[in-house]
Amino acid sequence: MQATSFTYHTKIREVFSEMSQVVVGQERLLNRLLIGLFTGGHILLEGVPGLAKTLTINTLAKVLELDFQRIQFTPDLLPADLIGTMIFNQKTAEFEVKQGPIFANLILADEVNRSPAKVQAALLEAMQEKQVTIGEETFILDRPFLVLATQNPVEQEGTYPLPEAQVDRFMMKVFVDYLNKDEELEVMRRMSNMNFDYEVQPVLGKEDLAAIRNEINGITISETLERYIIELVFATRRPMDYNLRDEARYIQFGVSPRASIHLNLAAKALAYFDRREYVLPEDIKEVAPDVFNHRIMLNYEAEADGVSTLQVIDSILRKVAIGR
């Protein structure tokens, strides 16, 4: 296999630098967004309001010269509001297609669990098929196409939880946490200055993103680590086969085959960011929680005992050996 050239490594560093001029902290969030963007995986974000999720995504779109659309999901939203509809042109006496906001490169589906199942299904179909059908016409969505959906974990009233089978279409679920004291102090200082209006400069374009994807595709992963990924996946499905007795009490359903694919891709992207031509076990372990946490279903006993999905994943990562 041809060696990876890391042509764009400096540019990727510039993306982080340019983003930091507007967004304070959230390096881990940006890292995961770039992994999704470079490998074609959609991201589900969960965190309380006010953590700069929208600002981060909007700024990233500007730095990468991508079309950005923010869609606020509400209970009265219709699928046509998302993908578009047919409208009647009185001048020509014909129906014409009016495309919806889904026709962009970066889509922020804000509070996706606020809208009913039909709207969620329309979004998730576009994510999976990378195309939209309006009337009798089918439209291929522009590439890259990345959906970043947010969920508010605080309020559950008036929400429509995403079905597990549809949540599985997201590559990763990323928890966005509060900033530390110094970072929040910097945010306060910046936003208290009403003249602060930094304009980010474009760093990469669409052609660059396609080239980066090809370079990441050149990252090698040994057969031992490929099998390690499979062992981790099967440990969530058949924990008793791995002597995970405590975990078996809590797991109702393990992860799907998409988990192994996405974990492989995410680990390669991490290796690429570190200028390595090969994947290390640490790469797999670092992204496994983000890839697994929305795919493992725990039972009521786990809820009663206060056991979280991330605790179960951490236990699996500690107990399942490489080269088992």
Side-chain angles (χ1 to χ4, degrees), residues 3-31:
T4 301
S5 60
F6 301 104
T7 309
Y8 294 90
H9 191 267
T10 303
K11 288 287 187 180
I12 293 174
R13 293 291 86 193
E14 288 180 24
V15 170
F16 279 90
S17 177
E18 196 67 22
M19 291 286 296
S20 68
Q21 303 300 317
V22 176
V23 181
V24 177
Q26 306 298 7
E27 286 85 2
R28 180 176 173 276
L29 170 60
L30 179 57
N31 177 277

mmCIF file of all heavy atoms in Angstrom, residues 3-31:
data_model
loop_
_atom_site.group_PDB
_atom_site.id
_atom_site.type_symbol
_atom_site.label_atom_id
_atom_site.label_comp_id
_atom_site.label_asym_id
_atom_site.label_seq_id
_atom_site.Cartn_x
_atom_site.Cartn_y
_atom_site.Cartn_z
ATOM 1 N N ALA A 3 2.441 4.790 0.838
ATOM 2 C CA ALA A 3 2.576 5.505 2.097
ATOM 3 C C ALA A 3 1.729 6.770 2.099
ATOM 4 O O ALA A 3 1.593 7.457 1.083
ATOM 5 C CB ALA A 3 4.041 5.858 2.347
ATOM 6 N N THR A 4 1.177 7.085 3.259
ATOM 7 C CA THR A 4 0.372 8.302 3.399
ATOM 8 C C THR A 4 1.293 9.515 3.419
ATOM 9 O O THR A 4 2.323 9.518 4.104
ATOM 10 C CB THR A 4 -0.453 8.235 4.696
ATOM 11 O OG1 THR A 4 -1.289 7.080 4.640
ATOM 12 C CG2 THR A 4 -1.313 9.465 4.844
ATOM 13 N N SER A 5 0.931 10.566 2.699
ATOM 14 C CA SER A 5 1.826 11.709 2.545
ATOM 15 C C SER A 5 1.629 12.806 3.585
ATOM 16 O O SER A 5 2.501 13.642 3.778
ATOM 17 C CB SER A 5 1.645 12.315 1.144
ATOM 18 O OG SER A 5 0.302 12.748 0.962
ATOM 19 N N PHE A 6 0.469 12.838 4.267
ATOM 20 C CA PHE A 6 0.166 13.873 5.272
ATOM 21 C C PHE A 6 0.296 15.282 4.693
ATOM 22 O O PHE A 6 0.779 16.200 5.349
ATOM 23 C CB PHE A 6 1.079 13.727 6.496
ATOM 24 C CG PHE A 6 0.967 12.397 7.179
ATOM 25 C CD1 PHE A 6 1.960 11.435 7.010
ATOM 26 C CD2 PHE A 6 -0.126 12.093 7.967
ATOM 27 C CE1 PHE A 6 1.855 10.197 7.626
ATOM 28 C CE2 PHE A 6 -0.234 10.857 8.592
ATOM 29 C CZ PHE A 6 0.762 9.908 8.416
ATOM 30 N N THR A 7 -0.126 15.439 3.442
ATOM 31 C CA THR A 7 -0.013 16.722 2.758
ATOM 32 C C THR A 7 -0.745 17.828 3.496
ATOM 33 O O THR A 7 -0.299 18.982 3.520
ATOM 34 C CB THR A 7 -0.583 16.587 1.328
ATOM 35 O OG1 THR A 7 0.018 15.472 0.689
ATOM 36 C CG2 THR A 7 -0.337 17.852 0.530
ATOM 37 N N TYR A 8 -1.858 17.488 4.129
ATOM 38 C CA TYR A 8 -2.727 18.506 4.701
ATOM 39 C C TYR A 8 -2.605 18.633 6.214
ATOM 40 O O TYR A 8 -3.427 19.294 6.842
ATOM 41 C CB TYR A 8 -4.186 18.197 4.333
ATOM 42 C CG TYR A 8 -4.455 18.305 2.852
ATOM 43 C CD1 TYR A 8 -4.313 17.196 2.014
ATOM 44 C CD2 TYR A 8 -4.819 19.524 2.288
ATOM 45 C CE1 TYR A 8 -4.544 17.311 0.659
ATOM 46 C CE2 TYR A 8 -5.060 19.634 0.929
ATOM 47 C CZ TYR A 8 -4.920 18.528 0.122
ATOM 48 O OH TYR A 8 -5.145 18.634 -1.230
ATOM 49 N N HIS A 9 -1.578 18.015 6.790
ATOM 50 C CA HIS A 9 -1.471 18.028 8.248
ATOM 51 C C HIS A 9 -1.327 19.449 8.786
ATOM 52 O O HIS A 9 -1.956 19.821 9.780
ATOM 53 C CB HIS A 9 -0.283 17.169 8.694
ATOM 54 C CG HIS A 9 -0.263 16.916 10.171
ATOM 55 N ND1 HIS A 9 0.430 17.705 11.050
ATOM 56 C CD2 HIS A 9 -0.893 15.981 10.922
ATOM 57 C CE1 HIS A 9 0.247 17.264 12.278
ATOM 58 N NE2 HIS A 9 -0.552 16.217 12.230
ATOM 59 N N THR A 10 -0.503 20.256 8.124
ATOM 60 C CA THR A 10 -0.321 21.649 8.563
ATOM 61 C C THR A 10 -1.626 22.422 8.440
ATOM 62 O O THR A 10 -1.977 23.226 9.313
ATOM 63 C CB THR A 10 0.779 22.334 7.725
ATOM 64 O OG1 THR A 10 1.989 21.598 7.841
ATOM 65 C CG2 THR A 10 0.998 23.761 8.201
ATOM 66 N N LYS A 11 -2.365 22.187 7.369
ATOM 67 C CA LYS A 11 -3.645 22.867 7.168
ATOM 68 C C LYS A 11 -4.652 22.494 8.258
ATOM 69 O O LYS A 11 -5.433 23.333 8.710
ATOM 70 C CB LYS A 11 -4.217 22.523 5.791
ATOM 71 C CG LYS A 11 -3.488 23.165 4.630
ATOM 72 C CD LYS A 11 -3.784 24.645 4.552
ATOM 73 C CE LYS A 11 -3.206 25.266 3.296
ATOM 74 N NZ LYS A 11 -3.505 26.721 3.218
ATOM 75 N N ILE A 12 -4.627 21.243 8.673
ATOM 76 C CA ILE A 12 -5.552 20.813 9.725
ATOM 77 C C ILE A 12 -5.206 21.518 11.032
ATOM 78 O O ILE A 12 -6.095 21.937 11.785
ATOM 79 C CB ILE A 12 -5.513 19.276 9.890
ATOM 80 C CG1 ILE A 12 -6.095 18.613 8.636
ATOM 81 C CG2 ILE A 12 -6.293 18.834 11.130
ATOM 82 C CD1 ILE A 12 -5.971 17.108 8.623
ATOM 83 N N ARG A 13 -3.903 21.685 11.288
ATOM 84 C CA ARG A 13 -3.497 22.452 12.471
ATOM 85 C C ARG A 13 -4.005 23.890 12.367
ATOM 86 O O ARG A 13 -4.405 24.500 13.367
ATOM 87 C CB ARG A 13 -1.971 22.469 12.596
ATOM 88 C CG ARG A 13 -1.309 21.145 12.908
ATOM 89 C CD ARG A 13 -1.598 20.644 14.310
ATOM 90 N NE ARG A 13 -2.827 19.896 14.388
ATOM 91 C CZ ARG A 13 -3.451 19.562 15.490
ATOM 92 N NH1 ARG A 13 -2.980 19.908 16.643
ATOM 93 N NH2 ARG A 13 -4.571 18.887 15.482
ATOM 94 N N GLU A 14 -3.975 24.436 11.161
ATOM 95 C CA GLU A 14 -4.469 25.804 10.954
ATOM 96 C C GLU A 14 -5.972 25.895 11.203
ATOM 97 O O GLU A 14 -6.465 26.924 11.667
ATOM 98 C CB GLU A 14 -4.144 26.265 9.533
ATOM 99 C CG GLU A 14 -2.678 26.554 9.286
ATOM 100 C CD GLU A 14 -2.423 27.014 7.861
ATOM 101 O OE1 GLU A 14 -3.364 27.536 7.221
ATOM 102 O OE2 GLU A 14 -1.287 26.834 7.378
ATOM 103 N N VAL A 15 -6.705 24.819 10.880
ATOM 104 C CA VAL A 15 -8.148 24.801 11.150
ATOM 105 C C VAL A 15 -8.394 24.949 12.646
ATOM 106 O O VAL A 15 -9.213 25.761 13.081
ATOM 107 C CB VAL A 15 -8.788 23.496 10.622
ATOM 108 C CG1 VAL A 15 -10.219 23.370 11.130
ATOM 109 C CG2 VAL A 15 -8.769 23.462 9.103
ATOM 110 N N PHE A 16 -7.654 24.185 13.454
ATOM 111 C CA PHE A 16 -7.797 24.287 14.908
ATOM 112 C C PHE A 16 -7.427 25.688 15.393
ATOM 113 O O PHE A 16 -8.104 26.256 16.251
ATOM 114 C CB PHE A 16 -6.912 23.248 15.605
ATOM 115 C CG PHE A 16 -7.505 21.869 15.667
ATOM 116 C CD1 PHE A 16 -7.271 20.952 14.652
ATOM 117 C CD2 PHE A 16 -8.294 21.477 16.730
ATOM 118 C CE1 PHE A 16 -7.810 19.672 14.694
ATOM 119 C CE2 PHE A 16 -8.840 20.208 16.789
ATOM 120 C CZ PHE A 16 -8.602 19.301 15.770
ATOM 121 N N SER A 17 -6.358 26.233 14.828
ATOM 122 C CA SER A 17 -5.907 27.571 15.234
ATOM 123 C C SER A 17 -6.929 28.638 14.878
ATOM 124 O O SER A 17 -7.236 29.517 15.689
ATOM 125 C CB SER A 17 -4.564 27.878 14.568
ATOM 126 O OG SER A 17 -4.139 29.192 14.874
ATOM 127 N N GLU A 18 -7.470 28.561 13.674
ATOM 128 C CA GLU A 18 -8.458 29.546 13.233
ATOM 129 C C GLU A 18 -9.742 29.426 14.051
ATOM 130 O O GLU A 18 -10.352 30.437 14.411
ATOM 131 C CB GLU A 18 -8.748 29.359 11.742
ATOM 132 C CG GLU A 18 -9.456 30.515 11.069
ATOM 133 C CD GLU A 18 -8.624 31.779 10.987
ATOM 134 O OE1 GLU A 18 -7.382 31.692 11.055
ATOM 135 O OE2 GLU A 18 -9.217 32.871 10.875
ATOM 136 N N MET A 19 -10.145 28.220 14.342
ATOM 137 C CA MET A 19 -11.345 28.005 15.145
ATOM 138 C C MET A 19 -11.185 28.594 16.545
ATOM 139 O O MET A 19 -12.138 29.133 17.119
ATOM 140 C CB MET A 19 -11.650 26.512 15.249
ATOM 141 C CG MET A 19 -12.106 25.859 13.964
ATOM 142 S SD MET A 19 -13.792 26.290 13.506
ATOM 143 C CE MET A 19 -14.719 25.578 14.845
ATOM 144 N N SER A 20 -9.967 28.506 17.102
ATOM 145 C CA SER A 20 -9.738 28.982 18.468
ATOM 146 C C SER A 20 -9.877 30.498 18.576
ATOM 147 O O SER A 20 -10.007 31.023 19.681
ATOM 148 C CB SER A 20 -8.351 28.557 18.947
ATOM 149 O OG SER A 20 -7.331 29.231 18.226
ATOM 150 N N GLN A 21 -9.836 31.200 17.434
ATOM 151 C CA GLN A 21 -10.022 32.656 17.461
ATOM 152 C C GLN A 21 -11.464 33.027 17.794
ATOM 153 O O GLN A 21 -11.745 34.151 18.217
ATOM 154 C CB GLN A 21 -9.645 33.265 16.096
ATOM 155 C CG GLN A 21 -8.233 32.974 15.643
ATOM 156 C CD GLN A 21 -7.186 33.495 16.608
ATOM 157 O OE1 GLN A 21 -7.286 34.604 17.113
ATOM 158 N NE2 GLN A 21 -6.173 32.678 16.881
ATOM 159 N N VAL A 22 -12.374 32.085 17.603
ATOM 160 C CA VAL A 22 -13.791 32.341 17.865
ATOM 161 C C VAL A 22 -14.323 31.473 18.997
ATOM 162 O O VAL A 22 -15.025 31.940 19.888
ATOM 163 C CB VAL A 22 -14.631 32.105 16.585
ATOM 164 C CG1 VAL A 22 -16.115 32.280 16.872
ATOM 165 C CG2 VAL A 22 -14.188 33.033 15.476
ATOM 166 N N VAL A 23 -13.972 30.175 18.943
ATOM 167 C CA VAL A 23 -14.505 29.207 19.910
ATOM 168 C C VAL A 23 -13.441 28.908 20.956
ATOM 169 O O VAL A 23 -12.313 28.540 20.613
ATOM 170 C CB VAL A 23 -14.934 27.901 19.208
ATOM 171 C CG1 VAL A 23 -15.504 26.917 20.221
ATOM 172 C CG2 VAL A 23 -15.952 28.195 18.117
ATOM 173 N N VAL A 24 -13.802 29.048 22.217
ATOM 174 C CA VAL A 24 -12.877 28.775 23.321
ATOM 175 C C VAL A 24 -13.063 27.329 23.772
ATOM 176 O O VAL A 24 -14.191 26.872 23.984
ATOM 177 C CB VAL A 24 -13.131 29.731 24.500
ATOM 178 C CG1 VAL A 24 -12.207 29.394 25.675
ATOM 179 C CG2 VAL A 24 -12.937 31.173 24.064
ATOM 180 N N GLY A 25 -11.938 26.615 23.928
ATOM 181 C CA GLY A 25 -12.025 25.219 24.350
ATOM 182 C C GLY A 25 -12.656 24.364 23.268
ATOM 183 O O GLY A 25 -12.535 24.642 22.072
ATOM 184 N N GLN A 26 -13.319 23.303 23.661
ATOM 185 C CA GLN A 26 -14.048 22.407 22.753
ATOM 186 C C GLN A 26 -13.144 21.784 21.696
ATOM 187 O O GLN A 26 -13.606 21.458 20.596
ATOM 188 C CB GLN A 26 -15.222 23.140 22.078
ATOM 189 C CG GLN A 26 -16.187 23.830 23.020
ATOM 190 C CD GLN A 26 -16.902 22.878 23.982
ATOM 191 O OE1 GLN A 26 -16.583 21.696 24.045
ATOM 192 N NE2 GLN A 26 -17.847 23.393 24.724
ATOM 193 N N GLU A 27 -11.836 21.596 22.019
ATOM 194 C CA GLU A 27 -10.941 20.947 21.058
ATOM 195 C C GLU A 27 -11.393 19.513 20.764
ATOM 196 O O GLU A 27 -11.307 19.048 19.625
ATOM 197 C CB GLU A 27 -9.490 20.932 21.579
ATOM 198 C CG GLU A 27 -8.778 22.272 21.528
ATOM 199 C CD GLU A 27 -9.080 23.118 22.749
ATOM 200 O OE1 GLU A 27 -9.821 22.633 23.643
ATOM 201 O OE2 GLU A 27 -8.597 24.263 22.819
ATOM 202 N N ARG A 28 -11.865 18.826 21.802
ATOM 203 C CA ARG A 28 -12.322 17.450 21.596
ATOM 204 C C ARG A 28 -13.536 17.424 20.679
ATOM 205 O O ARG A 28 -13.644 16.560 19.798
ATOM 206 C CB ARG A 28 -12.656 16.800 22.939
ATOM 207 C CG ARG A 28 -13.141 15.357 22.814
ATOM 208 C CD ARG A 28 -13.361 14.731 24.188
ATOM 209 N NE ARG A 28 -13.969 13.414 24.046
ATOM 210 C CZ ARG A 28 -15.257 13.200 23.905
ATOM 211 N NH1 ARG A 28 -16.112 14.233 23.880
ATOM 212 N NH2 ARG A 28 -15.732 11.977 23.783
ATOM 213 N N LEU A 29 -14.458 18.355 20.863
ATOM 214 C CA LEU A 29 -15.631 18.437 19.987
ATOM 215 C C LEU A 29 -15.196 18.669 18.552
ATOM 216 O O LEU A 29 -15.679 17.999 17.631
ATOM 217 C CB LEU A 29 -16.559 19.559 20.458
ATOM 218 C CG LEU A 29 -17.713 19.935 19.516
ATOM 219 C CD1 LEU A 29 -18.633 18.749 19.263
ATOM 220 C CD2 LEU A 29 -18.496 21.120 20.081
ATOM 221 N N LEU A 30 -14.281 19.603 18.338
ATOM 222 C CA LEU A 30 -13.808 19.898 16.981
ATOM 223 C C LEU A 30 -13.106 18.688 16.387
ATOM 224 O O LEU A 30 -13.278 18.376 15.196
ATOM 225 C CB LEU A 30 -12.871 21.104 17.011
ATOM 226 C CG LEU A 30 -12.265 21.520 15.661
ATOM 227 C CD1 LEU A 30 -13.355 21.805 14.636
ATOM 228 C CD2 LEU A 30 -11.367 22.736 15.835
ATOM 229 N N ASN A 31 -12.326 17.986 17.209
ATOM 230 C CA ASN A 31 -11.651 16.776 16.740
ATOM 231 C C ASN A 31 -12.654 15.758 16.219
ATOM 232 O O ASN A 31 -12.481 15.183 15.138
ATOM 233 C CB ASN A 31 -10.821 16.193 17.889
ATOM 234 C CG ASN A 31 -10.144 14.885 17.518
ATOM 235 O OD1 ASN A 31 -10.760 13.821 17.576
ATOM 236 N ND2 ASN A 31 -8.878 14.953 17.143
#
